[in-house]
């Protein structure tokens, strides 16, 4: 699934008269670049969510004969964010019972990378993950926190923001195991994420925040279809809180370290200009 429904406000004025998916980088649209990447890894069936100038995306794909792929459209009358958008398009991944055990890729249209998606899929399968997130060690205002087993344990908003850490729940237990140092904190309902000063892992042992790695998310996920019925949130919602909730339940939401690969967000005109320079310097290795 390609996430392409956003308004692209950071790309204005380029998105004043077109969707961000049709903004061009070195003569190719961001949508074409993303689809070409997916084809390189053998992906031939894609669903694209649309909202802003939705008909332009539909007409563009039709005029290019869907770039030789099977492409479905998920129209959002109102923006649903990443989680809501995925939930609306869930039918695409659940209609064939044969594919229920086959992971799928969720990819932002406004990022470019040469991340090895085969290696990422192999990592996902070997670790029996529910979801695998491509992450890097770089500065970001919205970092995710992972433990030394690559498990998602929280997030931090703002470079100096207070971390929100999940309390772990044993998969075989219906209650939280709370150590003395956090016993007096307000307890959330089972499976919810909350901000606490310590994390509690699935064995009930506490560990300091310093033991967690702060990593930047790339906007590229590999997800098991088994996650889709677990998205109990409704309407407009980001998928990150859902990941935190599921991690607190003991589900495997894992980090795939992509530090060795090129990656760039294309959310601003300056980012497009830099990416264009990058492509000129190494045209064969970027996309």
């Amino acid at each position: 699934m390609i996430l392409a429904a956003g308004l692209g406000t950071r790309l204005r004025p380029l998105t004043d008269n077109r969707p961000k998916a049709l903004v061009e980088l070195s003569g190719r649209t961001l949508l074409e670049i993303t689809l070409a990447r997916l084809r390189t890894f053998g992906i031939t069936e894609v669903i694209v969510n649309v909202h802003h100038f939705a008909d332009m995306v539909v007409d563009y794909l039709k005029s290019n004969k869907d770039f030789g792929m099977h492409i479905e459209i998920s129209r959002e009358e109102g923006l649903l964010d990443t989680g809501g958008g995925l939930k609306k398009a869930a039918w695409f991944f659940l209609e064939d019972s044969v594919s229920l055990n086959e992971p799928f890729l969720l990819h932002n249209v406004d990022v470019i990378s040469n991340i090895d998606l085969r290696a990422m899929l192999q990592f996902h399968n070997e670790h029996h993950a529910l979801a695998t997130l491509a992450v890097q060690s770089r500065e970001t205002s919205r970092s995710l926190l992972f433990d030394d087993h690559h498990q998602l344990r929280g997030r931090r908003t703002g470079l100096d923001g207070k971390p929100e850490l999940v309390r772990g729940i044993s998969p075989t237990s219906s209650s939280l195991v709370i150590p003395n140092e956090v016993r007096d904190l307000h307890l959330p309902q089972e499976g919810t994420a909350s901000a606490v000063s310590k994390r509690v892992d699935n064995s009930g042992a506490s560990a300091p925040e310093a033991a967690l790695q702060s990593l930047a998310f790339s906007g590229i996920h590999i997800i098991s279809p088994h996650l889709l019925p677990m998205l109990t949130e409704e309407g407009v919602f980001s998928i990150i809180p859902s990941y935190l909730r599921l991690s607190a339940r003991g589900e495997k939401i894992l980090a795939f370290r992509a530090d060795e690969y090129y990656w760039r967000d294309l959310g601003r005109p300056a980012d497009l200009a830099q990416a264009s320079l990058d492509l000129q310097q190494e045209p064969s290795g970027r996309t």
Side-chain angles (χ1 to χ4, degrees):
M1 179 173 182
I2 298 176
L3 295 171
L7 299 177
T9 53
R10 294 183 300 151
L11 277 171
R12 287 175 178 166
L14 299 176
T15 50
D16 285 343
N17 58 4
R18 77 188 81 176
K20 65 181 179 181
L22 299 189
V23 169
E24 293 189 356
L25 170 62
S26 298
R28 302 166 70 201
T29 67
L30 302 188
L31 182 55
E32 179 190 354
I33 290 170
T34 306
L35 288 170
R37 279 271 298 156
L38 302 190
R39 281 202 314 272
T40 298
F41 291 97
I43 296 172
T44 59
E45 297 180 89
V46 180
I47 188 166
V48 182
N49 70 336
V50 295
H51 169 73
H52 185 55
F53 293 110
D55 288 338
M56 290 183 67
V57 176
V58 173
D59 292 343
Y60 172 77
L61 289 170
K62 183 177 180 180
S63 66
N64 286 280
K65 299 181 180 179
D66 287 347
F67 293 95
M69 306 171 79
H70 170 210
I71 298 179
E72 296 283 353
I73 294 293
S74 178
R75 287 181 178 265
E76 298 181 9
E77 298 304 317
L79 284 173
L80 296 174
D81 209 334
T82 50
L86 174 59
K87 186 169 185 175
K88 185 177 189 298
W91 63 268
F92 183 75
F93 304 103
L94 299 175
E95 63 178 351
D96 181 2
S97 60
V98 177
S99 64
L100 289 181
N101 292 318
E102 295 181 2
F104 63 89
L105 180 74
L106 186 64
H107 197 299
N108 288 3
V109 77
D110 54 358
V111 301
I112 188 172
S113 82
N114 63 1
I115 292 174
D116 188 339
L117 300 180
R118 288 193 185 91
M120 187 174 171
L121 176 60
Q122 181 178 354
F123 174 92
H124 176 89
N125 288 333
E126 288 178 351
H127 289 81
H128 306 287
L130 186 65
T132 298
L133 316 182
V135 295
Q136 295 177 320
S137 178
R138 54 180 166 79
E139 188 173 287
T140 179
S141 61
R142 294 180 294 178
S143 59
L144 299 179
L145 304 175
F146 295 87
D147 64 20
D148 55 5
H149 297 290
H150 311 291
Q151 176 72 23
L152 179 65
R153 291 301 184 185
R155 65 177 173 177
R156 179 186 285 109
T157 302
L159 295 177
D160 299 315
K162 181 180 179 181
E164 301 173 37
L165 307 180
V166 297
R167 291 184 173 97
I169 296 177
S170 170
T172 59
S173 173
S174 60
S175 62
L176 290 166
V177 181
I178 306 298
N180 293 336
E181 62 265 36
V182 295
R183 184 176 296 159
D184 295 332
L185 295 175
H186 174 70
L187 299 184
Q189 295 180 350
E190 179 179 346
T192 61
S194 63
V196 296
S197 59
K198 301 278 186 177
R199 75 165 170 85
V200 184
D201 67 19
N202 288 339
S203 65
S206 65
E209 177 206 334
L212 302 179
Q213 290 184 303
S214 180
L215 299 169
F217 181 41
S218 71
I220 301 172
H221 336 218
I222 289 181
I223 301 172
S224 164
H226 297 290
L227 175 139
L228 296 172
M230 300 180 187
L231 294 177
T232 55
E233 297 83 354
E234 298 291 342
V236 182
F237 66 96
S238 166
I239 199 169
I240 297 299
S242 303
Y243 284 153
L244 292 168
R245 173 177 60 80
L246 293 168
S247 177
R249 268 178 37 181
E251 300 290 349
K252 285 189 174 182
I253 311 296
L254 302 184
F256 174 77
R257 294 297 297 265
D259 303 291
E260 65 189 277
Y261 302 105
Y262 174 84
W263 177 93
R264 182 170 291 279
D265 172 64
L266 300 175
R268 302 171 301 171
D271 298 319
L272 288 170
Q274 183 58 56
S276 181
L277 291 175
D278 296 340
L279 288 170
Q280 292 173 25
Q281 292 169 8
E282 296 186 44
S284 62
R286 294 304 193 188
T287 59

